[in-house]
Amino acid sequence: MFHAAPSPGPKRTPLPPSPSPASDAPDPQRPDERRGRTGEQRDPFFDNAKYLAIVLVALGHSWATIKSDNRFLETAYNVVYVFHMPAFVIISGYFSRNFDLRPQRLKRLLTGVLVPYVVFQTAYSLFRIHVGHTGDRHVDLFTPWYLTWFLCALFIWRLTAPVWRMLRRPLPVAVGLAMLASVTPGLGGVLELQRVLQFLPCFVLGMCLKPEHFRLVRRRSARILSVPVIVLAVALGWWSVPRMDAGWLYRNAAAQDLGAPWWAGPVTVLLLFGCALLLTACFLAWVPGRRLWCTALGAGTLGGYLLHGFAVKGVLYAGGFEADWLHGPLGALVVTVVAAAGMTVLCTRPVRQTFRCVMEPRMDWAFRRIAPQASGERARTDGRAAGAVATPVAEQAAEPEAALAR
């Protein structure tokens, strides 16, 4: 789906920088279509994947409040936490393949990632202070709290994307850095560098992926093979509940911080990376590739991600998760349904439009006017930067942050 339709006459080798007019996503230079106003221009597969993954995020945060003494829920929680954020990060890396330091893209990075980070880091800090009545009454923009770490990490990953493109073997380097981070205590405070580095291999892997890799996992054979893998993952999740510290799944601490020997850090990084890659492939194998009722919601996952934390923390601060019945099977079912429904509402267009001023600010007043590049020059620049065809679908989720794209 990423190749232009063949023209009649003798075959010629296509120019690498030329975008395909038959792409499933809009031209990034046409903002109305890029924002999804022409639905057929987007690839439904990625929008469906983003919606389903963001629902898993909401379920994970909700289950965390009631999973104690419920082994079934703890099993589901552990399995979901192995892959749901790595899936987001991999998709983010895939849509960052062509990111460079051109002014227009830097502007989008600042307004679509950095500004929302500053706004919501401040908002969550004030919410924690005045609603949660916590002892820490500081607003620290350099220490992400709760959900905001992802925007901070994405900002750093995107800025370093040109460096990873230059390296001959970027993935082994990224894995090596993650392993070093896992034996470096105290690294997770400022800018959540522990998470930035431990999730880095997922981002770099996404940058290395090509469209054919996603087509490979969408085959019927891949779906069939994923079934025993998922069954095995659930069995291992059940086994791990009383034996493993769930802190490993958050990737925000070194081995010494978790009371483990130093060598456990690099080993666990490799194991979690392999498991995350395998389960992400199984997850993507079952993502529908056609347009569904939830496809349009994939364009609003940024709002769902940044807003649902207020609901979860608000209920927690109010003691809403303390009822005994919530910790039983019926309570788990109710929390699951409410969390999925709530996230669905937060991804809708009205919510997106309401909060666009802080999630997608234009901020033209803050930047000098950027002269548009000529199409030929832009194509040559993209070809040199990416080393591959710069297709419009590669920009579908390069809106504020790829996996949680607007």
Side-chain angles (χ1 to χ4, degrees), residues 2 28 76 95-96 178 238 270 285 325 332:
F2 294 90
F95 286 115
S96 298
W238 177 273
L270 291 176
W325 70 274

Side-chain angles (χ1 to χ4, degrees), residues 78-108:
N78 288 354
V79 173
V80 166
Y81 260 77
V82 167
F83 77 92
H84 76 318
M85 285 311 298
F88 268 130
V89 178
I90 288 172
I91 296 175
S92 297
Y94 175 70
F95 286 115
S96 298
R97 295 173 301 159
N98 298 324
F99 184 85
D100 54 31
L101 301 181
R102 284 187 292 162
Q104 189 61 39
R105 287 184 174 172
L106 284 176
K107 176 184 175 183
R108 286 169 56 187

